[in-house]
Amino acid sequence: MLSGTVLLLLFLVLMFMGIPVAHSMIITGYVTLKFIHPEIPTIIVAQRLFGGMDNYILLCIPFLSWRAI
């Protein structure tokens, strides 16, 4: 519960500082990995992120929108 509150506050502080939303989310995620869950290796996160994007079904989305034009 405390970690969620800290992360939300960090995200809001970064937003009020004028940092774009995408960058605020990346920084908040990095802080989560390094300080709240240090037992998770960073390479595992990168592999899971790429594995989630490397999906054949997701390729259909741009083709469907192109076909509708």
Side-chain angles (χ1 to χ4, degrees):
M1 178 71 178
L2 178 66
S3 63
T5 306
V6 171
L7 292 175
L8 181 63
L9 286 174
L10 175 64
F11 180 72
L12 292 175
V13 166
L14 290 172
M15 291 294 297
F16 284 123
M17 287 175 51
I19 297 175
V21 175
H23 294 215
S24 298
M25 291 174 74
I26 290 171
I27 292 170
T28 305
Y30 181 77
V31 168
T32 303
L33 285 175
K34 287 298 172 188
F35 298 113
I36 296 177
H37 298 292
E39 69 275 0
I40 299 174
T42 310
I43 191 70
I44 299 296
V45 175
Q47 288 174 349
R48 295 250 176 133
L49 187 70
F50 182 76
M53 292 186 305
D54 189 26
N55 189 351
Y56 180 74
I57 300 298
L58 292 178
L59 289 174
C60 296
I61 296 170
F63 292 126
L64 285 175
S65 62
W66 176 79
R67 187 75 172 144
I69 294 177

Coordinates of all heavy atoms in Angstrom, one line a residue:
M1 N 0.8 -1.2 0.0 CA 0.0 0.0 0.0 C 0.9 1.3 0.0 O 0.6 2.2 -0.7 CB -0.9 0.0 1.2 CG -1.8 1.2 1.4 SD -3.1 1.2 0.1 CE -3.9 2.6 0.6
L2 N 1.9 1.2 0.8 CA 2.8 2.4 0.9 C 3.5 2.6 -0.4 O 3.7 3.8 -0.9 CB 3.8 2.2 2.0 CG 4.8 3.3 2.2 CD1 4.1 4.6 2.6 CD2 5.8 3.0 3.2
S3 N 4.0 1.5 -1.1 CA 4.7 1.7 -2.3 C 3.8 2.3 -3.4 O 4.3 3.1 -4.2 CB 5.3 0.4 -2.8 OG 4.2 -0.6 -3.1
G4 N 2.5 1.9 -3.5 CA 1.6 2.5 -4.4 C 1.4 4.0 -4.2 O 1.3 4.7 -5.2
T5 N 1.3 4.4 -3.0 CA 1.2 5.8 -2.6 C 2.4 6.6 -3.0 O 2.3 7.7 -3.6 CB 0.9 5.9 -1.1 OG1 -0.2 5.1 -0.7 CG2 0.6 7.4 -0.7
V6 N 3.6 6.0 -2.8 CA 4.8 6.7 -3.1 C 4.9 6.8 -4.6 O 5.3 7.9 -5.1 CB 6.0 5.9 -2.6 CG1 7.3 6.5 -3.1 CG2 6.0 6.0 -1.1
L7 N 4.6 5.8 -5.4 CA 4.6 5.9 -6.8 C 3.6 6.9 -7.4 O 3.9 7.6 -8.3 CB 4.4 4.5 -7.4 CG 5.5 3.5 -7.1 CD1 5.2 2.1 -7.7 CD2 6.8 4.0 -7.7
L8 N 2.4 6.9 -6.9 CA 1.5 7.9 -7.3 C 1.9 9.3 -7.1 O 1.8 10.2 -7.9 CB 0.1 7.6 -6.7 CG -1.0 8.5 -7.1 CD1 -1.3 8.4 -8.6 CD2 -2.3 8.3 -6.2
L9 N 2.5 9.5 -5.9 CA 3.0 10.8 -5.6 C 4.2 11.2 -6.5 O 4.2 12.4 -6.9 CB 3.4 10.9 -4.1 CG 2.3 11.0 -3.1 CD1 2.8 10.9 -1.7 CD2 1.5 12.2 -3.3
L10 N 5.0 10.3 -6.7 CA 6.2 10.5 -7.6 C 5.7 10.9 -9.0 O 6.1 11.8 -9.7 CB 7.1 9.3 -7.7 CG 8.2 9.4 -8.7 CD1 9.2 10.5 -8.3 CD2 8.9 8.1 -8.8
F11 N 4.7 10.1 -9.5 CA 4.1 10.4 -10.8 C 3.5 11.8 -10.9 O 3.7 12.6 -11.8 CB 3.1 9.3 -11.2 CG 2.4 9.5 -12.5 CD1 3.1 9.3 -13.7 CD2 1.1 9.9 -12.6 CE1 2.5 9.5 -14.9 CE2 0.5 10.1 -13.8 CZ 1.2 9.9 -15.0
L12 N 2.7 12.1 -9.8 CA 2.1 13.5 -9.8 C 3.1 14.6 -9.7 O 2.9 15.6 -10.4 CB 1.1 13.5 -8.7 CG -0.1 12.7 -8.8 CD1 -1.0 12.7 -7.6 CD2 -0.9 13.0 -10.1
V13 N 4.2 14.4 -8.9 CA 5.2 15.4 -8.8 C 5.9 15.6 -10.2 O 6.1 16.8 -10.6 CB 6.2 15.0 -7.7 CG1 7.5 15.9 -7.8 CG2 5.6 15.2 -6.4
L14 N 6.2 14.5 -10.9 CA 6.8 14.7 -12.2 C 5.9 15.4 -13.2 O 6.3 16.2 -14.0 CB 7.2 13.3 -12.7 CG 8.4 12.6 -11.9 CD1 8.5 11.2 -12.4 CD2 9.6 13.4 -12.1
M15 N 4.6 15.1 -13.1 CA 3.6 15.7 -14.0 C 3.6 17.2 -13.7 O 3.5 18.0 -14.6 CB 2.3 15.1 -13.8 CG 2.2 13.7 -14.3 SD 2.4 13.6 -16.1 CE 1.0 14.5 -16.6
F16 N 3.5 17.6 -12.4 CA 3.4 19.0 -12.1 C 4.7 19.8 -12.4 O 4.7 21.0 -12.5 CB 3.1 19.2 -10.6 CG 1.6 18.9 -10.3 CD1 1.2 18.0 -9.4 CD2 0.6 19.6 -11.0 CE1 -0.1 17.7 -9.1 CE2 -0.7 19.4 -10.8 CZ -1.1 18.4 -9.8
M17 N 5.8 19.0 -12.5 CA 7.1 19.7 -12.9 C 7.1 20.0 -14.4 O 8.0 20.6 -14.9 CB 8.3 18.8 -12.5 CG 8.5 18.7 -11.0 SD 9.8 17.6 -10.6 CE 11.2 18.0 -11.7
G18 N 6.2 19.4 -15.1 CA 6.1 19.7 -16.6 C 6.7 18.6 -17.4 O 6.9 18.8 -18.6
I19 N 7.1 17.5 -16.8 CA 7.6 16.4 -17.6 C 6.5 15.7 -18.3 O 5.4 15.5 -17.8 CB 8.4 15.4 -16.7 CG1 9.5 16.2 -16.0 CG2 8.8 14.2 -17.4 CD1 10.3 15.4 -15.0
P20 N 6.6 15.3 -19.6 CA 5.6 14.7 -20.3 C 5.1 13.4 -19.7 O 5.8 12.8 -18.9 CB 6.2 14.4 -21.7 CG 7.3 15.4 -21.8 CD 7.8 15.6 -20.4
V21 N 3.9 13.0 -20.0 CA 3.3 11.8 -19.4 C 4.1 10.6 -19.6 O 4.3 9.8 -18.7 CB 1.8 11.6 -19.9 CG1 1.2 10.4 -19.3 CG2 1.0 12.8 -19.5
A22 N 4.5 10.4 -20.9 CA 5.3 9.1 -21.2 C 6.6 9.1 -20.4 O 6.9 8.0 -19.9 CB 5.5 9.1 -22.7
H23 N 7.2 10.2 -20.3 CA 8.5 10.2 -19.5 C 8.3 10.0 -18.0 O 9.0 9.3 -17.4 CB 9.3 11.5 -19.8 CG 9.7 11.7 -21.2 ND1 10.9 12.3 -21.5 CD2 9.1 11.3 -22.4 CE1 11.0 12.3 -22.8 NE2 9.9 11.7 -23.4
S24 N 7.2 10.5 -17.5 CA 6.8 10.4 -16.1 C 6.5 8.9 -15.8 O 6.9 8.4 -14.8 CB 5.6 11.2 -15.8 OG 5.9 12.6 -15.9
M25 N 5.9 8.2 -16.8 CA 5.6 6.8 -16.6 C 6.8 6.0 -16.6 O 7.0 5.0 -15.8 CB 4.6 6.4 -17.6 CG 3.2 7.0 -17.4 SD 2.1 6.6 -18.7 CE 1.7 4.9 -18.3
I26 N 7.7 6.3 -17.5 CA 9.0 5.6 -17.6 C 9.8 5.7 -16.3 O 10.4 4.8 -15.8 CB 9.8 6.0 -18.9 CG1 9.1 5.5 -20.1 CG2 11.2 5.5 -18.8 CD1 9.6 6.1 -21.4
I27 N 9.9 7.0 -15.9 CA 10.7 7.2 -14.7 C 10.1 6.5 -13.5 O 10.8 5.9 -12.6 CB 10.8 8.7 -14.4 CG1 11.7 9.4 -15.5 CG2 11.4 9.0 -13.0 CD1 11.7 10.9 -15.5
T28 N 8.8 6.6 -13.3 CA 8.1 5.9 -12.2 C 8.3 4.4 -12.3 O 8.5 3.7 -11.3 CB 6.6 6.2 -12.3 OG1 6.4 7.7 -12.3 CG2 5.9 5.7 -11.1
G29 N 8.2 3.8 -13.5 CA 8.5 2.4 -13.6 C 9.9 2.0 -13.3 O 10.1 1.0 -12.7
Y30 N 10.8 2.8 -13.7 CA 12.2 2.6 -13.3 C 12.5 2.6 -11.8 O 13.2 1.8 -11.3 CB 13.1 3.6 -14.1 CG 14.6 3.4 -13.8 CD1 15.3 2.3 -14.4 CD2 15.3 4.1 -12.9 CE1 16.6 2.1 -14.2 CE2 16.6 3.9 -12.6 CZ 17.3 2.9 -13.3 OH 18.6 2.7 -13.0
V31 N 11.9 3.6 -11.2 CA 12.0 3.7 -9.7 C 11.4 2.5 -9.1 O 11.9 2.0 -8.1 CB 11.3 5.0 -9.2 CG1 11.2 5.0 -7.7 CG2 12.1 6.2 -9.7
T32 N 10.3 2.0 -9.6 CA 9.7 0.8 -9.0 C 10.6 -0.4 -9.1 O 10.8 -1.1 -8.2 CB 8.4 0.5 -9.8 OG1 7.5 1.6 -9.7 CG2 7.7 -0.7 -9.2
L33 N 11.2 -0.5 -10.3 CA 12.1 -1.7 -10.5 C 13.3 -1.6 -9.6 O 13.8 -2.6 -9.1 CB 12.5 -1.8 -11.9 CG 11.4 -2.4 -12.9 CD1 11.9 -2.3 -14.3 CD2 11.1 -3.8 -12.5
K34 N 13.9 -0.5 -9.5 CA 15.2 -0.3 -8.9 C 15.1 -0.2 -7.3 O 16.0 -0.7 -6.6 CB 16.0 0.9 -9.4 CG 16.5 0.6 -10.8 CD 17.5 -0.5 -10.7 CE 17.9 -1.0 -12.1 NZ 18.7 -2.2 -12.1
F35 N 14.1 0.4 -6.8 CA 14.1 0.7 -5.4 C 13.0 -0.1 -4.6 O 13.2 -0.4 -3.5 CB 13.9 2.2 -5.1 CG 15.0 3.0 -5.7 CD1 14.8 3.9 -6.7 CD2 16.3 2.9 -5.2 CE1 15.8 4.6 -7.3 CE2 17.3 3.6 -5.7 CZ 17.1 4.5 -6.7
I36 N 11.9 -0.4 -5.3 CA 10.8 -1.1 -4.6 C 10.9 -2.6 -4.8 O 10.7 -3.4 -3.9 CB 9.5 -0.6 -4.9 CG1 9.4 0.9 -4.5 CG2 8.3 -1.4 -4.3 CD1 8.1 1.6 -4.9
H37 N 11.3 -3.0 -6.0 CA 11.5 -4.5 -6.3 C 12.9 -4.7 -6.9 O 13.0 -5.0 -8.1 CB 10.4 -4.9 -7.4 CG 9.0 -4.8 -6.9 ND1 8.5 -5.6 -5.9 CD2 8.0 -3.9 -7.3 CE1 7.2 -5.2 -5.7 NE2 6.9 -4.2 -6.5
P38 N 13.9 -4.6 -6.1 CA 15.3 -4.7 -6.6 C 15.6 -6.2 -7.0 O 16.6 -6.4 -7.6 CB 16.1 -4.2 -5.5 CG 15.3 -4.4 -4.3 CD 13.9 -4.2 -4.7
E39 N 14.8 -7.1 -6.5 CA 15.1 -8.5 -6.8 C 14.8 -8.9 -8.3 O 15.2 -10.0 -8.7 CB 14.4 -9.5 -5.8 CG 12.9 -9.5 -6.0 CD 12.1 -8.4 -5.3 OE1 12.7 -7.6 -4.7 OE2 10.9 -8.4 -5.5
I40 N 14.1 -8.1 -9.0 CA 13.7 -8.4 -10.4 C 14.8 -7.9 -11.3 O 15.1 -6.7 -11.3 CB 12.4 -7.8 -10.8 CG1 11.2 -8.3 -9.9 CG2 12.0 -8.0 -12.2 CD1 9.9 -7.6 -10.1
P41 N 15.5 -8.8 -12.0 CA 16.5 -8.3 -12.9 C 16.0 -7.4 -14.1 O 14.9 -7.7 -14.6 CB 17.2 -9.6 -13.5 CG 16.7 -10.7 -12.6 CD 15.4 -10.2 -12.0
T42 N 16.7 -6.4 -14.5 CA 16.2 -5.5 -15.5 C 16.1 -6.2 -16.9 O 15.3 -5.9 -17.7 CB 17.2 -4.3 -15.6 OG1 17.4 -3.8 -14.3 CG2 16.6 -3.2 -16.5
I43 N 17.0 -7.2 -17.1 CA 17.0 -7.9 -18.4 C 15.7 -8.7 -18.6 O 15.2 -8.8 -19.7 CB 18.2 -8.8 -18.6 CG1 18.3 -9.3 -20.0 CG2 18.2 -10.0 -17.6 CD1 18.7 -8.3 -21.0
I44 N 15.1 -9.2 -17.5 CA 13.9 -9.9 -17.5 C 12.8 -9.0 -18.0 O 11.9 -9.3 -18.8 CB 13.5 -10.6 -16.2 CG1 14.6 -11.6 -15.8 CG2 12.2 -11.2 -16.2 CD1 14.7 -12.8 -16.7
V45 N 12.8 -7.8 -17.5 CA 11.7 -6.8 -17.8 C 11.8 -6.5 -19.3 O 10.8 -6.4 -20.0 CB 11.9 -5.5 -17.0 CG1 10.9 -4.4 -17.4 CG2 11.7 -5.8 -15.5
A46 N 13.0 -6.3 -19.8 CA 13.2 -6.0 -21.2 C 12.7 -7.2 -22.1 O 12.1 -7.0 -23.1 CB 14.7 -5.7 -21.5
Q47 N 13.0 -8.4 -21.7 CA 12.6 -9.5 -22.5 C 11.1 -9.7 -22.5 O 10.5 -10.0 -23.5 CB 13.2 -10.8 -21.9 CG 14.7 -10.9 -22.2 CD 15.3 -12.1 -21.5 OE1 14.7 -12.8 -20.6 NE2 16.5 -12.4 -21.8
R48 N 10.5 -9.5 -21.3 CA 9.0 -9.6 -21.3 C 8.3 -8.4 -22.1 O 7.3 -8.7 -22.7 CB 8.5 -9.5 -19.8 CG 9.0 -10.6 -19.0 CD 7.8 -11.5 -18.6 NE 8.3 -12.7 -17.9 CZ 7.7 -13.1 -16.8 NH1 6.7 -12.5 -16.3 NH2 8.2 -14.2 -16.2
L49 N 8.9 -7.3 -22.0 CA 8.4 -6.1 -22.8 C 8.4 -6.4 -24.3 O 7.4 -6.2 -25.0 CB 9.1 -4.9 -22.5 CG 8.6 -3.6 -23.0 CD1 7.3 -3.2 -22.3 CD2 9.6 -2.5 -22.8
F50 N 9.6 -6.9 -24.8 CA 9.7 -7.2 -26.2 C 8.8 -8.4 -26.5 O 8.2 -8.4 -27.6 CB 11.1 -7.5 -26.5 CG 11.3 -7.8 -28.0 CD1 11.3 -6.8 -28.9 CD2 11.5 -9.1 -28.4 CE1 11.4 -7.1 -30.3 CE2 11.6 -9.4 -29.8 CZ 11.6 -8.4 -30.7
G51 N 8.7 -9.4 -25.7 CA 7.9 -10.6 -25.9 C 6.4 -10.2 -26.0 O 5.7 -10.8 -26.8
G52 N 6.0 -9.2 -25.3 CA 4.6 -8.8 -25.3 C 4.3 -8.0 -26.6 O 3.2 -8.1 -27.1
M53 N 5.3 -7.3 -27.1 CA 5.1 -6.6 -28.4 C 5.3 -7.5 -29.6 O 4.8 -7.2 -30.7 CB 6.1 -5.4 -28.5 CG 5.8 -4.3 -27.5 SD 6.8 -2.9 -27.7 CE 8.5 -3.6 -27.6
D54 N 6.0 -8.6 -29.5 CA 6.3 -9.4 -30.6 C 5.2 -10.5 -30.7 O 5.4 -11.7 -30.5 CB 7.6 -10.1 -30.3 CG 8.1 -10.9 -31.5 OD1 7.7 -10.5 -32.7 OD2 8.9 -11.9 -31.4
N55 N 4.0 -10.0 -31.0 CA 2.8 -10.8 -31.1 C 2.2 -10.7 -32.5 O 2.0 -9.6 -33.0 CB 1.8 -10.4 -30.1 CG 0.7 -11.3 -29.9 OD1 0.5 -12.2 -30.7 ND2 -0.2 -11.1 -28.9
Y56 N 2.0 -11.8 -33.2 CA 1.5 -11.8 -34.5 C 0.1 -11.1 -34.6 O -0.2 -10.4 -35.6 CB 1.4 -13.2 -35.1 CG 0.9 -13.3 -36.5 CD1 1.7 -12.9 -37.5 CD2 -0.4 -13.8 -36.8 CE1 1.3 -13.0 -38.8 CE2 -0.8 -13.8 -38.0 CZ 0.0 -13.4 -39.1 OH -0.5 -13.5 -40.4
I57 N -0.7 -11.3 -33.7 CA -2.1 -10.7 -33.7 C -2.0 -9.2 -33.7 O -2.8 -8.5 -34.3 CB -2.9 -11.3 -32.5 CG1 -3.0 -12.8 -32.6 CG2 -4.2 -10.6 -32.4 CD1 -3.7 -13.3 -33.8
L58 N -1.0 -8.6 -32.9 CA -0.9 -7.2 -32.9 C -0.6 -6.6 -34.3 O -0.8 -5.4 -34.5 CB 0.2 -6.8 -31.9 CG -0.2 -7.1 -30.4 CD1 1.0 -6.7 -29.5 CD2 -1.5 -6.3 -30.0
L59 N 0.0 -7.4 -35.2 CA 0.3 -6.9 -36.5 C -1.0 -6.6 -37.3 O -1.0 -5.8 -38.2 CB 1.1 -7.9 -37.3 CG 2.6 -8.0 -36.8 CD1 3.2 -9.1 -37.6 CD2 3.3 -6.7 -37.0
C60 N -2.1 -7.2 -36.9 CA -3.4 -7.0 -37.6 C -3.9 -5.6 -37.4 O -4.7 -5.1 -38.3 CB -4.4 -8.0 -37.2 SG -3.9 -9.7 -37.6
I61 N -3.6 -5.0 -36.3 CA -4.2 -3.7 -36.0 C -3.9 -2.6 -37.0 O -4.8 -2.0 -37.6 CB -3.8 -3.2 -34.6 CG1 -4.4 -4.2 -33.6 CG2 -4.3 -1.8 -34.3 CD1 -3.9 -4.0 -32.2
P62 N -2.6 -2.4 -37.4 CA -2.4 -1.4 -38.5 C -3.0 -1.8 -39.8 O -3.4 -0.9 -40.6 CB -0.8 -1.3 -38.6 CG -0.3 -2.0 -37.4 CD -1.4 -2.9 -36.9
F63 N -3.0 -3.1 -40.1 CA -3.5 -3.5 -41.4 C -5.0 -3.3 -41.5 O -5.6 -3.0 -42.5 CB -3.1 -4.9 -41.7 CG -1.6 -5.1 -41.9 CD1 -0.9 -6.0 -41.2 CD2 -1.0 -4.3 -42.9 CE1 0.4 -6.2 -41.4 CE2 0.4 -4.5 -43.1 CZ 1.1 -5.4 -42.4
L64 N -5.7 -3.5 -40.4 CA -7.1 -3.3 -40.3 C -7.5 -1.8 -40.5 O -8.4 -1.5 -41.2 CB -7.7 -3.8 -39.0 CG -7.8 -5.3 -38.9 CD1 -8.3 -5.7 -37.5 CD2 -8.8 -5.9 -40.0
S65 N -6.7 -1.0 -39.9 CA -7.0 0.5 -40.0 C -6.6 1.0 -41.4 O -7.3 1.8 -41.9 CB -6.2 1.2 -38.9 OG -4.8 1.1 -39.1
W66 N -5.6 0.4 -42.0 CA -5.3 0.8 -43.4 C -6.3 0.3 -44.4 O -6.7 1.0 -45.3 CB -3.9 0.2 -43.8 CG -3.6 0.5 -45.2 CD1 -3.0 1.6 -45.7 CD2 -3.7 -0.4 -46.3 NE1 -2.8 1.5 -47.0 CE2 -3.2 0.2 -47.4 CE3 -4.2 -1.7 -46.4 CZ2 -3.2 -0.3 -48.7 CZ3 -4.1 -2.3 -47.7 CH2 -3.7 -1.6 -48.8
R67 N -6.9 -0.8 -44.1 CA -7.9 -1.4 -45.0 C -9.2 -0.6 -45.0 O -9.9 -0.6 -45.9 CB -8.1 -2.9 -44.6 CG -9.0 -3.6 -45.5 CD -8.2 -4.0 -46.8 NE -9.1 -4.8 -47.6 CZ -9.1 -4.8 -48.9 NH1 -8.3 -4.0 -49.5 NH2 -9.9 -5.6 -49.6
A68 N -9.5 0.0 -43.8 CA -10.7 0.7 -43.7 C -10.7 2.1 -44.4 O -11.8 2.6 -44.7 CB -11.0 1.0 -42.2
I69 N -9.5 2.5 -44.8 CA -9.5 3.8 -45.5 C -9.9 3.7 -46.9 O -9.8 3.0 -47.7 CB -8.0 4.4 -45.4 CG1 -7.7 4.7 -44.0 CG2 -7.9 5.6 -46.3 CD1 -6.3 5.2 -43.7

